[in-house]
Amino acid sequence: MTTNDYDAIVLGAGAAGLMCAAVAGQRGRRVLLLDHAEQVGKKILISGGGRCNFTNIHTVPERYLSANPHFAKSALARYTPADFIALVDAYGIAWHEKTLGQLFCDRSAKAVVAMLLDEAAKGGVDVRCGAPVRGVEHGDGLFRVTFGDRAFAAPNLVIATGGPSIPKMGASGFAYDLARQFGLKVVEPRPALVPLTLGGEDVLFRELSGVATPVEARAGKAAFREAALFTHRGLSGPAILQASSYWRHGEPVTIDFLPDAAPGWLVEAKRSRPRATLAAALGGVLPDRLAQTLAERLALPGELGAQADRKLAGAETRLKRWTFHPNGTEGFAKAEVTAGGISTAGLSSQTMMAKSVAGLYAVGEAVDVTGWLGGYNFQWAWASGYAAGRAL
């Protein structure tokens, strides 16, 4: 027996799905929100160390990766960080700004999930969790969804099931299977905002596991100034996670270990401290273990006063563009988000509806739009969810 009491069925009760359902519900649409997990918003709850980095005040379309870099502009312009902040403020949720425009809850991410559920309740959204989606069919203008042992139908269906990052949270490639079922193309998904692994000659840097330092990390044409962290498998930390989204297998990652150092600083150190070693000079500006390792690799033994200026200048150049050759990433298990996904070429940037299938929408991480680290992906979830919710 199929229940056909709904205008729209939203698959996935994460950030984008909750926003979409609440907006559509408050516009008078009868919305059913389904999720296979036992509770809604699981990724919201673990984000930002449990405090939910819910947006970034510096959100601009240029800080998103997509095969079509213009696609995100429309939705981001119509639902901004200020709009979400106004919602958070209306619920009396205290928040603070960390570095680089990142906004976090003062207390728990649970407040954001409770807010979204309250917004959904205001729209009369029917929320059901804890059963698998066993099948989705389309015919006679209706989408039929089998959820557990129940069947539901509606003229509109929203894919908001995210990407495969963090599978232990129940994430999967379900959105892509569904998209392909309806003839939509999928841009090859890959882990993004993910630690990089090192092999070959770079392996010795693994011995620095736990050491962190501010750097400028570069991959492709993108460069990020934040902390890098050495791990027992390779490289992590905000600068590396950011660069990882732009990195491709076989390409190098370059690190400027001293982004604030003035040109010629090492030659200057030779003049002022000729008896110092290179390790000692580096130790004044870098963590000791890192300074020691870099000095060993630069192979300029003895005192600075004994080194030719051109050799010191060469060492400076290497420290400015230290090249690593990652052999991979830590994969979807450690990726904060997924790059790639449902191709934007088949979607309307205004409504998020599929151009070839009336009534089929895709929002959030399921779509080929990936933001920087620091609240950008939540802002895309709110904005794309809002765009679809307004169109339903």
Side-chain angles (χ1 to χ4, degrees):
M1 164 83 179
T2 300
T3 307
N4 181 23
D5 292 331
Y6 301 100
D7 297 311
I9 299 171
V10 180
L11 300 179
L18 281 163
M19 175 61 92
C20 176
V23 170
Q26 289 185 28
R27 294 180 64 241
R29 305 296 183 262
R30 297 163 302 165
V31 181
L32 174 65
L33 178 60
L34 303 176
D35 200 296
H36 68 104
E38 292 297 327
Q39 62 180 136
V40 307
K42 285 178 79 174
K43 272 195 179 177
I44 300 175
L45 293 171
I46 66 160
S47 71
R51 291 195 172 182
C52 187
N53 180 191
F54 56 81
T55 192
N56 194 298
I57 57 174
H58 301 314
T59 295
V60 286
E62 291 74 25
R63 295 187 172 185
Y64 291 83
L65 290 81
S66 174
N68 175 1
H70 301 292
F71 182 82
K73 289 180 177 175
S74 175
L76 291 172
R78 285 178 296 135
Y79 194 87
T80 66
D83 292 317
F84 195 77
I85 292 167
L87 184 61
V88 166
D89 286 345
Y91 276 79
I93 298 171
W95 54 271
H96 59 280
E97 180 184 343
K98 277 197 177 177
T99 56
L100 305 171
Q102 304 170 26
L103 304 191
F104 289 78
C105 298
D106 282 1
R107 291 186 285 277
S108 171
K110 290 176 183 173
V112 172
V113 175
M115 173 188 80
L116 292 166
L117 278 173
D118 199 50
E119 285 291 295
K122 285 179 185 174
V125 175
D126 185 356
V127 182
R128 302 184 185 218
C129 294
V133 174
R134 299 191 187 280
V136 179
E137 294 169 5
H138 184 228
D140 304 325
L142 289 175
F143 293 91
R144 293 174 180 80
V145 177
T146 306
F147 182 70
D149 55 4
R150 298 286 302 277
F152 303 97
N156 297 289
L157 180 72
V158 182
I159 303 172
T161 53
S165 58
I166 322 184
K168 69 179 183 199
M169 298 293 295
S172 74
F174 178 78
Y176 313 143
D177 298 338
L178 205 50
R180 290 188 184 104
Q181 179 186 328
F182 289 106
L184 300 183
K185 288 188 165 56
V186 175
V187 175
E188 183 64 36
R190 57 190 177 83
L193 301 181
V194 64
L196 300 174
T197 56
L198 295 175
E201 289 187 9
D202 292 332
V203 163
L204 85 92
F205 282 94
R206 293 192 201 162
E207 294 169 11
L208 296 173
S209 182
V211 173
T213 189
V215 302
E216 181 174 274
R218 184 179 292 275
K221 292 179 179 173
F224 297 94
R225 281 193 64 165
E226 282 192 78
L229 168 71
F230 291 92
T231 72
H232 66 287
R233 296 190 63 187
L235 295 167
S236 188
I240 300 300
L241 296 181
Q242 292 277 40
S244 74
S245 296
Y246 294 83
W247 177 77
R248 290 290 197 278
H249 276 273
E251 293 182 359
V253 168
T254 59
I255 289 184
D256 181 350
F257 280 111
L258 299 166
D260 291 320
W265 74 273
L266 206 42
V267 175
E268 186 55 44
K270 169 184 168 178
R271 306 269 185 273
S272 59
R273 298 168 59 202
R275 306 295 300 273
T277 62
L278 178 58
L282 290 173
V285 285
L286 292 169
D288 285 340
R289 284 166 61 201
L290 175 58
Q292 199 69 43
T293 299
L294 292 174
E296 285 168 13
R297 294 301 294 269
L298 290 166
L300 293 177
E303 299 174 351
L304 290 179
Q307 311 296 338
D309 284 4
R310 64 178 174 76
K311 285 198 169 183
L312 293 176
E316 256 187 57
T317 301
R318 274 197 75 189
L319 290 165
K320 197 113 194 102
R321 291 189 58 80
W322 198 281
T323 304
F324 289 96
H325 296 277
N327 59 9
T329 74
E330 291 198 25
F332 285 117
K334 294 292 175 68
E336 297 206 10
V337 292
T338 304
I342 298 170
S343 174
T344 60
L347 303 175
S348 160
S349 63
Q350 296 286 318
T351 65
M352 310 303 293
M353 188 172 84
K355 294 172 182 175
S356 57
V357 186
L360 179 66
Y361 298 77
V363 295
E365 193 185 344
V367 177
D368 174 32
V369 174
T370 307
W372 283 10
L373 183 73
Y376 292 94
N377 289 293
F378 273 126
Q379 187 57 38
W380 169 246
W382 315 136
S384 59
Y386 179 85
R390 293 290 301 171
L392 285 169

